[in-house]
Structures are given as structure tokens and as C-alpha cells.
Amino acid sequence: MIHQDPQIHIHNAIILELTLRTLERDKKHMDSLKTNFAFKAWIDQELKNLTRDLRDVSRTLGMHGMKVLEGIKEIDEYFVAYTIKTRGNDKELRYSKVALRNQVNEEVKKRLGLEYRGQQS
């Protein structure tokens, strides 16, 4: 069984990786904007920050003897599974695609300095 603290780090690793991929993909579609240089500069900075944050979370997971394996397994049109390598055996965690998309959107809002769902008042 995965304890609470490592599970938070696993979740963060998944969300950070998805956010990183989303911003990389979105950056490719910025050329049609008149102020694309400003948006690209922000995305480049956030890609650096996301890479650093993901590295830190991965390092923390490594200290717990865990790693989120790259590549997801499509279960159906609504769910995906991530394999978590642990000392001793592997675990499979299932996530709703809609929930992941919503959490990536919240992560982007947070990084933009906008109001987001997990914000403390």
C-alpha cells in the first residue's frame, strides 16, 4: 500500500508532467498571436520552473523508493492508468481523464497568478 505522503508526490508528479506537456504543445500554436513573444517568454520560463519542480518531486519519490513510469495505459475513453514502480512491486493507479484535465487547468491558473480552486484565502 502507498502511504499518504508519497501518494501526494505521485499525484504532483503526474500533474506536473501533464502540465509540462500541455504547455509545450500550446507553445507550438502561439505564432498566430500578435503578442506571441510575451506568451512564449512566459511559457519558456514556466517550462523551466515545471522541469525543476518535476525533478524535485521525482527526487523525493526516489527517496521513498518510488518512480512514476513514463507512458500511460489507456483503460477506456474515460480513464487512464499510471504504473508506479516501488521497492518490491509495482502499483497501478487509475485516474479520470476529465479530473486530470481539470487539475492541469488549475495548475496553469496557479502559475499564471490567477484564482484557482486549491487557493487558500
Side-chain angles (χ1 to χ4, degrees):
M1 171 157 244
I2 298 173
H3 299 292
Q4 181 65 19
D5 189 45
Q7 191 147 5
I8 291 169
H9 295 300
I10 289 168
H11 179 74
N12 287 339
I14 291 169
I15 297 303
L16 290 173
E17 176 65 32
L18 289 172
T19 304
L20 186 74
R21 286 193 284 169
T22 299
L23 287 180
E24 286 172 342
R25 187 191 69 233
D26 288 352
K27 183 181 173 185
K28 294 176 184 174
H29 300 286
M30 298 293 234
D31 291 333
S32 63
L33 299 175
K34 288 186 179 185
T35 58
N36 68 355
F37 64 91
F39 290 112
K40 281 186 177 181
W42 175 81
I43 286 178
D44 286 337
Q45 183 60 47
E46 281 311 310
L47 289 173
K48 287 179 188 174
N49 293 339
L50 282 163
T51 302
R52 183 199 62 230
D53 294 348
L54 183 58
R55 184 186 63 237
D56 292 346
V57 169
S58 295
R59 188 176 297 135
T60 301
L61 283 173
M63 287 189 278
H64 289 284
M66 306 173 118
K67 181 180 181 178
V68 178
L69 298 181
E70 288 189 28
I72 57 175
K73 180 174 128 184
E74 295 272 337
I75 296 172
D76 58 27
E77 62 186 283
Y78 303 108
F79 293 94
V80 294
Y82 285 85
T83 301
I84 313 305
K85 189 156 192 65
T86 62
R87 292 183 184 132
N89 61 354
D90 296 347
K91 307 277 185 204
E92 185 176 276
L93 297 179
R94 295 174 178 225
Y95 285 87
S96 160
K97 290 179 180 181
V98 172
L100 288 174
R101 183 180 62 238
N102 290 341
Q103 290 170 5
V104 167
N105 286 336
E106 292 300 312
E107 183 67 25
V108 170
K109 284 182 194 175
K110 178 174 99 174
R111 290 177 179 272
L112 277 169
L114 301 174
E115 189 173 316
Y116 60 97
R117 197 173 341 140
Q119 192 172 29
Q120 299 294 322
S121 298

